[in-house]
Amino acid sequence: IECSVVAGDILGANMDIHAGGSDLKFPHHDNELAQSEAYYGHHQWVNYFFHAGHLHIKGLKMSKSLKNFITIRQALQEHSARQIRLMFLMQPWDRPMNFSDQTVGAAKSKEAQFKNFFGTVKALIRSKWLDEEVGWRSREEDRALYDQIADCQSKCHHGFCDNFNTPQVVDALSSLVTYCNNYLSRPPPAAPAVYLVQKAAVYITQILKVVGVAEGADDIGFPVSSAGSEAEVEGPLDALTEFRDAVRSIARKKGPVEEILGACDAVADKVQASAPAAARLSDQVAKVLADFAGAIRAAAAGGHGAVLTACDHVRDDALTAIGVRLEDATREGQSSTWKLDDPETLMKEVAARRAEAEERAKQAKAKAAAKLQQEVDKLTAGSADPFETLKPDLQLEGGALSQADVEAWVGMQPPPKAKGKPTPEWLEASRAATEKQAPFLKKLADSSEGKLTEKAISKRLDSVLKKKEALDKQCEEYASKGGAAYLAKKKEELAAMLG
């Protein structure tokens, strides 16, 4: 009754929208309707009911009794508000919604896709595209992109009209981003229709603003929590990117050091006057550029590898610390792309990449060590007398086989059988071998005082013979590789690797 009283007191005899969880449909909201419509004397207290699906935590309905209760404040400690909003938008609002590592991970991937696309478009707009021919220079591809934009707009409109089908809207926006990325990744001489790509980015931003994922006054993209705008840092960042691309290209081609030092001299004037004094982020970029130029000049004496290391450092450490994402060009002749981003996000990404690289290196080292250990074990076995290794196999219940027994058994083996039908010669040799083996096996069986049969002895001798052949090969390999000296060298390599 209190819900009916409070709602009626504030909103009166009629309200447009009444919302609640799906478990409140009956009897809670039915009772409110019965109470309020009886009190006001009409049959339309609420025009529209919205019943949202329950929130599930890792597949189970969130409940204090299940001890899987999580607050918004707790969720925001691990994930951004944008990521949580995207996670809910990617699930139907009127069905059970799942909060899990998988759903949050999907939302983070979607956020990264949108963010990278916006940065790419902004970089494209910053380029000197107006200096070239403007229009649909690739008519078929440009027309197809235009149709994709129109199709996305249609899907978003119908999605909103279809019971606020936000998963369809997000999928449509994501598909348009993928199409634009493929459109932009075409190799030269294909040139993009920049204003078409800009049109797509502006529309995607508008829809994301409608659903509360994007905010701010920017026409394209998410607001950046760095202390400066793109216009303020465009000059110094373009200078840094151009300088880094130049020295990196020289180093990768193992060009002369004089060219690297020449690039350092050429950028000196830009270091002195690259940003207005009032722009704090611009000052930071200018300092990074000055430090980087000095680092390259010092690294040039250490060779091309040192120059490339300095290029990686400015990208992964110096620039990320001030909120600049620098993406290396994927094709020779292209320029690297810079984008403004949240410094904390960038540093987390760099830390994750480094941790992943360290883990890969660790696994590769463990794999190499295991392979080397196998070689050492094989060489160690090859360094020993085969019969010393076979001693356990020569022990029988009624005694032991001797080296002479094994060697005699070797001499009683028939020749290897060729493929196809046995030849008369092989059959004769096999019969002769069997005739030799019979008295030999009987003698060994008699010496065991009846504890072993001739069949058991024959089986054991065949097994020993097979192992001996493998050991003989190891011994040959051991000798061919250098014997004890080679084994000692491999043991030292293994110890260094494990140490």
Side-chain angles (χ1 to χ4, degrees), residues 78-252:
E78 298 184 16
H79 317 292
S80 70
R82 183 185 299 137
Q83 291 163 356
I84 294 175
R85 288 168 181 159
L86 268 173
M87 181 199 68
F88 287 128
L89 288 170
M90 292 168 68
Q91 304 180 67
W93 69 271
D94 57 343
R95 299 178 188 173
M97 288 178 275
N98 196 25
F99 182 91
S100 65
D101 294 339
Q102 289 77 17
T103 55
V104 174
K108 288 182 177 180
S109 297
K110 200 69 69 177
E111 179 194 35
Q113 182 192 33
F114 288 133
K115 186 184 293 185
N116 290 333
F117 172 66
F118 292 143
T120 300
V121 175
K122 288 180 180 180
L124 183 63
I125 295 172
R126 289 195 304 267
S127 67
K128 298 178 181 179
W129 64 283
L130 287 174
D131 294 345
E132 302 175 6
E133 178 186 354
V134 178
W136 288 12
R137 288 173 284 180
S138 304
R139 289 194 172 276
E140 290 186 8
E141 291 87 347
D142 296 342
R143 167 61 69 180
L145 175 57
Y146 178 86
D147 292 341
Q148 285 292 324
I149 296 172
D151 182 62
C152 176
Q153 292 172 331
S154 175
K155 287 180 178 178
C156 288
H157 175 75
H158 286 93
F160 283 128
C161 292
D162 181 18
N163 193 29
F164 296 108
N165 189 346
T166 54
Q168 176 178 316
V169 172
V170 175
D171 284 344
L173 298 179
S174 178
S175 296
L176 180 57
V177 168
T178 300
Y179 193 91
C180 287
N181 286 336
N182 292 334
Y183 172 83
L184 293 173
S185 65
R186 295 173 301 161
V194 178
Y195 58 90
L196 265 183
V197 180
Q198 182 178 6
K199 175 183 175 70
V202 169
Y203 178 73
I204 292 170
T205 303
Q206 290 174 342
I207 297 301
L208 292 179
K209 285 182 178 180
V210 167
V211 294
V213 172
E215 61 276 344
D218 293 346
D219 291 335
I220 295 176
F222 305 127
V224 179
S225 58
S226 57
S229 67
E230 292 182 352
E232 293 170 349
V233 298
E234 183 174 351
L237 274 177
D238 283 348
L240 190 152
T241 302
E242 181 181 346
F243 171 58
R244 180 179 177 273
D245 284 348
V247 297
R248 185 167 178 265
S249 177
I250 296 169
R252 293 180 68 184

Side-chain angles (χ1 to χ4, degrees), residues 64-79:
K64 287 185 177 180
S65 62
L66 295 176
K67 297 182 180 180
N68 65 345
F69 190 83
I70 183 171
T71 65
I72 293 293
R73 185 173 287 105
Q74 290 172 330
L76 288 173
Q77 291 176 356
E78 298 184 16
H79 317 292

Side-chain angles (χ1 to χ4, degrees), residues 385-428:
D385 182 350
F387 283 102
E388 287 295 322
T389 307
L390 289 170
K391 271 186 177 180
D393 296 274
L394 297 177
Q395 299 300 317
L396 298 173
E397 185 179 353
L401 295 171
S402 67
Q403 180 175 341
D405 294 334
V406 176
E407 291 173 346
W409 187 252
V410 171
M412 300 176 189
Q413 299 305 304
K417 180 178 176 295
K419 291 183 178 179
K421 186 177 180 180
T423 63
E425 292 80 7
W426 184 87
L427 290 172
E428 177 60 28

Side-chain angles (χ1 to χ4, degrees), residues 34 50 147 176 198 257 297 434 462 489 498-499:
F50 287 175
D147 292 341
L176 180 57
Q198 182 178 6
V257 174
R297 190 178 293 275
T434 303
D462 287 341
K489 177 185 174 183
L498 297 177

Side-chain angles (χ1 to χ4, degrees), residues 443-464:
K443 178 183 176 182
L444 292 176
D446 292 342
S447 65
S448 71
E449 299 179 353
K451 293 181 179 179
L452 294 171
T453 64
E454 296 175 17
K455 183 177 180 181
I457 296 172
S458 173
K459 187 176 180 181
R460 176 62 63 88
L461 282 168
D462 287 341
S463 174
V464 169

